[in-house]
Amino acid sequence: MGVAFFVTVTSALAQEITDKDLIGSWEIVALDLDGKGIYIDFEKDSISLTEEMVRDSTEEELVELKGYVSELLDLDRLKTLNLDFYEGHTMKAFLEDGTVLDHHAYLIVEDEGNYYVKYINSEEEILIDIRNELLYWIEQDHSDKTTTIFKRKES
C-alpha cells in the first residue's frame, strides 16, 4: 500500500506538458553529454568533466581535451542554437546565423508519466521535461544520453 501511494503521489506531482508550455522561443543554456561525462555551460562559457577525468589527467591534457571538445562540437556555433515552437504543432531548430537544423510537425505524447516530442511521419521521439523554467531535450542513443537544456528567450 505504501508503494502504491508513493507512485500515485509522485505521478500527481509530475508536471503535465502541453503545447502551450512549449510555444515560443527557447535558447540553449547547457549541454550534458552524460555518456561522455562532459557538461557544457554556455552561459558561463565553461566545460566541466567528471571527477575521474580530472583526477586522471594532467592540467595540459585537460586543456587539450576541452579544446578538442570545443572544436569537435563547434561550440561557438552551437551556443547560438534556438528552438522555436509554433501554434499548429510545428517546431524549428536553428542557429542564429540562419542555418535551419530541423523543421518538423510534432505532437506531444505521454507514456507512463514521461512526455515526448514525436515528429509526425517519423518514429523519432525526444524525451522532454520542463523544470525550473528550463526545457530539457533528452536524446538517448544506446548507452549515451545527451541532454540539451534551453531557457525561454526574453521577448
Side-chain angles (χ1 to χ4, degrees), residues 4 14-15 22 36 43 54 56 65 67 75 84-85 115 118 121 124-125 135-138 143 147 155:
Q15 179 182 343
L22 292 179
K36 306 284 188 238
E43 292 185 312
V54 171
D56 295 344
L65 176 59
L75 295 183
D84 281 0
F85 290 89
Y115 290 85
K118 180 179 182 345
N121 299 324
E124 189 171 4
E125 293 181 341
L135 170 62
Y136 293 80
W137 185 267
I138 306 158
S143 62
T147 303
S155 307

Side-chain angles (χ1 to χ4, degrees), residues 72-140:
L72 179 68
L73 297 177
D74 196 359
L75 295 183
D76 286 336
R77 285 190 77 213
L78 187 58
K79 71 182 175 187
T80 70
L81 177 63
N82 290 271
L83 282 181
D84 281 0
F85 290 89
Y86 308 101
E87 291 191 32
H89 303 278
T90 58
M91 61 82 60
K92 179 172 71 170
F94 62 96
L95 301 174
E96 288 180 1
D97 68 5
T99 304
V100 175
L101 304 173
D102 219 345
H103 193 238
H104 283 287
Y106 73 92
L107 294 173
I108 295 177
V109 295
E110 183 268 336
D111 183 25
E112 298 182 11
N114 293 312
Y115 290 85
Y116 299 85
V117 166
K118 180 179 182 345
Y119 295 143
I120 295 177
N121 299 324
S122 169
E123 295 299 313
E124 189 171 4
E125 293 181 341
I126 310 297
L127 179 62
I128 59 171
D129 192 10
I130 296 178
R131 288 179 270 130
N132 302 320
E133 299 183 27
L134 297 173
L135 170 62
Y136 293 80
W137 185 267
I138 306 158
E139 298 179 69
Q140 185 79 37

